Amino acid sequence: MSQKLHEAHQQWMMKYERTYTNSSEMEKRFQIFKNNLEHIEKHNNAGNKSYKLGLNPYSDLTSQEFIASYTGLKISSQISSSKMESIPILFNSNDDVPTNFDWRQQGVVTNVKNQNSCGCCWAFTAVAAVEGIVKIKTGDLISLSEQQLVDCDKQSHGCKGGTIDSAFESIVNDQGILRETDYPYKGVDTQTCQLNGQIQAGAQINSYATVTPNDEQQLLQAVAQQPVSAAISVGDEFKKYMHGVYSGSCGTDLNHAVTIVGYGISEEGIKYWLVKNSWGENWGENGYMRVLRESDETGAVTAVEGIVKIKIGDLISLSEQQLVDCDKQSHGCKSGSIDSAFESIVNDQGILRETYYPYNEVDQTCQLNGQVQVGAQINSYATVTPNDEQKLLQVVAQQPLSTAISVGDEFKKYMHVVYSGLCGTDLNHTVTIVGYGISEEGKKYWMVKKSWGEDWGENGYMRVLRENDETGGQHGIAMYVYYPII
């Protein structure tokens, strides 16, 4: 086994032309490579993920080393400037947008670039966004200069980190940005700003604006207009991404910047954002990544309780708090996703009874210690064909399902009867579908179990209009559905 690992390391070194200064450094890097490879193989062999991991040029780096050198986003407290739009741009959520959209197919995106070991992702995403809007407005696709921002943005710190807004601010203040051929990328911040007014700018922008935070429907509308710069959270698994729709673990803070150049739905029915990165074409899908779109978490426990009762005859109240504390891919009380919740139950070899791990309504460290027998286990989980209410009907007849829905102001005021009212602008909540029927008035409905207590709705339940001819169903109820498998 050790020989095979050494051979794999040697082959990797040759492929990426990696050399080391001495045998001690080589042994250190081999051990890191070995750990990374073992994690990759464990993940890929699990076979129940929407994405695969793989070796890439960064496979002999620890997560800490990689993040320190290959990210670089700082979150600014506030930039005082008349050029900054303080109010986010609001798009009409009713405007029709394509189901799949890729700015690369419109010739709006330059080739994938590589920031190398300079922490200036913020410069690369700002440049990519400007390149895109310039092409859309003028018809000219021009590769612009990230090095200008590294050297001349006085509010950022070159290779030591910077902000997206200060990058745009710098382009506005410097009356444009040069072509990359006139100010080439060096990947270092040891030179002074080379702007002298002698070379004509390759592009100019008048200002910049933000998209409404935490609103994926608004983001969808924005991306349909032009490529968009975005801050993301990068962790160890992210750097190993190879292909598929990424729904894995994130870092603990926003530390990297990328450019969203499209969106779509995969062949497996998973919605994603198409992201251009700045780590070269040997990373991910030729330098790009598909990231899970419209994710949410709550509702998984009820679905597990249901299938456990169906399969073994025992109705057991299980622990939501275990997921809040122990699901490393979600963010506790701040948010999470349904699939990562099921994934956590699989990885932790089950979920405890609520009596052993009671709900506390706060984030705390994971209390699992292997001393208490689990209340239930699942083998895996699966999805229902998106936007197919007939298929959803068939699966609900087999077991309760976890689903994402769109919640707005009117929804929270629901009291009784079949709800057909206003929705929110994005999928922001999860519920459990536990049945369906037809009301006395002849309206078809889904029977939904909520997590807001018995004083809400119909004793904690809700009937949601079924088969309303909207894509995804009422509130998007049929768009993003999961169920556990025992």
Side-chain angles (χ1 to χ4, degrees):
M1 182 66 177
S2 178
Q3 181 63 30
K4 288 184 178 180
L5 286 171
H6 278 284
E7 289 176 358
H9 186 222
Q10 289 293 328
Q11 292 171 358
W12 175 86
M13 289 176 61
M14 288 188 289
K15 179 176 180 179
Y16 295 110
E17 299 180 347
R18 183 61 57 87
T19 60
Y20 303 115
T21 55
N22 53 52
S23 59
S24 177
E25 177 68 11
M26 183 170 180
E27 178 59 26
K28 173 184 175 181
R29 293 298 156 191
F30 167 72
Q31 291 300 325
I32 297 170
F33 174 88
K34 172 176 172 289
N35 292 337
N36 284 329
L37 181 58
E38 288 174 348
H39 179 262
I40 289 167
E41 291 179 340
K42 179 180 179 181
H43 169 93
N44 292 343
N45 290 336
N48 57 354
K49 304 287 183 69
S50 61
Y51 61 100
K52 296 292 186 182
L53 305 180
L55 297 174
N56 57 42
Y58 315 109
S59 297
D60 67 345
L61 298 176
T62 66
S63 178
Q64 293 77 10
E65 290 172 329
F66 180 79
I67 290 171
S69 296
Y70 291 89
T71 57
L73 179 70
K74 308 293 183 183
I75 300 299
S76 61
S77 54
Q78 184 173 358
I79 290 183
S80 176
S81 169
S82 61
K83 303 296 181 183
M84 175 62 184
E85 295 283 355
S86 59
I87 300 175
I89 295 293
L90 291 176
F91 297 90
N92 186 348
S93 298
N94 294 321
D95 286 349
D96 290 333
V97 294
T99 302
N100 293 274
F101 194 80
D102 186 344
W103 278 114
R104 296 176 300 180
Q105 297 175 357
Q106 312 297 318
V108 168
V109 185
T110 59
N111 292 336
V112 171
K113 302 180 184 182
N114 196 337
Q115 69 184 78
N116 295 313
S117 57
C118 172
C120 61
C121 58
W122 53 276
F124 277 80
T125 186
V127 164
V130 173
E131 289 169 344
I133 192 62
V134 167
K135 168 63 176 177
I136 293 167
K137 294 293 187 181
T138 71
D140 297 325
L141 182 62
I142 305 168
S143 185
L144 300 171
S145 173
E146 293 85 8
Q147 192 66 43
Q148 175 182 321
L149 296 179
V150 172
D151 295 343
C152 306
D153 179 357
K154 303 306 181 186
Q155 300 185 65
S156 287
H157 306 284
C159 290
K160 301 177 184 67
T163 66
I164 301 171
D165 44 2
S166 72
F168 288 132
E169 189 79 12
S170 178
I171 295 171
V172 173
N173 291 339
D174 289 331
Q175 299 181 324
I177 184 167
L178 298 188
R179 295 171 183 262
E180 188 172 23
T181 52
D182 293 326
Y183 203 145
Y185 185 62
K186 304 292 186 183
V188 295
D189 56 5
T190 56
Q191 61 185 22
T192 57
C193 181
Q194 305 295 306
L195 294 179
N196 56 20
Q198 303 300 308
I199 302 176
Q200 183 179 2
Q204 292 180 305
I205 61 173
N206 297 320
S207 61
Y208 60 99
T210 59
V211 178
T212 307
N214 305 319
D215 189 331
E216 287 198 88
Q217 187 58 41
Q218 285 288 300
L219 180 57
L220 191 79
Q221 296 284 343
V223 173
Q225 303 296 317
Q226 65 190 85
V228 172
S229 295
I232 61 173
S233 179
V234 169
D236 181 62
E237 194 168 79
F238 188 102
K239 80 177 173 75
K240 300 168 184 170
Y241 168 80
M242 185 169 65
H243 62 78
V245 178
Y246 186 77
S247 59
S249 59
C250 305
T252 57
D253 56 1
L254 296 174
N255 55 11
H256 189 51
V258 295
T259 313
I260 305 175
V261 298
Y263 57 86
I265 302 176
S266 71
E267 293 180 356
E268 297 75 26
I270 303 174
K271 294 183 177 182
Y272 64 83
W273 297 109
L274 178 61
V275 167
K276 181 185 183 184
N277 206 347
S278 53
W279 294 342
E281 294 183 353
N282 287 320
W283 179 86
E285 296 180 332
N286 298 315
Y288 290 85
M289 180 185 212
R290 287 176 291 161
V291 178
L292 182 66
R293 176 162 59 96
E294 297 179 4
S295 66
D296 198 12
E297 176 167 353
T298 57
V301 169
T302 304
V304 174
E305 291 169 343
I307 191 60
V308 168
K309 168 64 177 175
I310 292 168
K311 292 291 187 180
I312 68 173
D314 295 328
L315 181 59
I316 305 169
S317 184
L318 300 171
S319 172
E320 292 85 4
Q321 191 67 43
Q322 175 180 323
L323 297 180
V324 172
D325 297 343
C326 306
D327 179 356
K328 303 306 182 186
Q329 299 185 59
S330 290
H331 306 284
C333 291
K334 300 178 184 66
S335 69
S337 66
I338 301 172
D339 48 355
S340 72
F342 287 135
E343 188 77 17
S344 179
I345 296 171
V346 173
N347 291 339
D348 289 333
Q349 299 181 325
I351 183 168
L352 299 187
R353 296 170 182 260
E354 188 173 23
T355 51
Y356 293 133
Y357 205 144
Y359 185 59
N360 293 323
E361 304 179 39
V362 295
D363 298 329
Q364 59 189 24
T365 56
C366 183
Q367 305 297 308
L368 294 179
N369 56 20
Q371 302 302 307
V372 181
Q373 184 178 4
V374 298
Q377 292 179 302
I378 63 174
N379 296 321
S380 60
Y381 58 96
T383 60
V384 178
T385 306
N387 306 323
D388 187 337
E389 288 198 84
Q390 188 56 42
K391 184 66 174 178
L392 181 58
L393 191 79
Q394 294 172 355
V395 182
V396 172
Q398 303 297 316
Q399 65 185 89
L401 305 175
S402 298
T403 188
I405 61 172
S406 177
V407 170
D409 181 64
E410 192 171 82
F411 186 100
K412 73 172 183 176
K413 302 170 184 173
Y414 168 81
M415 185 169 66
H416 61 81
V417 305
V418 178
Y419 185 76
S420 60
L422 297 175
C423 305
T425 57
D426 58 353
L427 296 175
N428 54 12
H429 189 53
T430 57
V431 296
T432 312
I433 305 176
V434 298
Y436 56 85
I438 302 176
S439 72
E440 294 179 356
E441 298 76 26
K443 293 182 179 179
K444 295 181 178 181
Y445 63 83
W446 296 110
M447 179 63 76
V448 167
K449 181 182 182 183
K450 287 284 289 86
S451 53
W452 292 346
E454 294 183 353
D455 291 329
W456 179 87
E458 296 180 331
N459 297 316
Y461 290 84
M462 181 184 209
R463 287 177 290 166
V464 177
L465 185 64
R466 176 163 58 93
E467 297 180 12
N468 69 339
D469 296 327
E470 289 186 16
T471 301
Q474 185 75 16
H475 294 284
I477 198 166
M479 296 172 69
Y480 189 73
V481 187
Y482 285 88
Y483 58 96
I485 297 172
I486 291 182

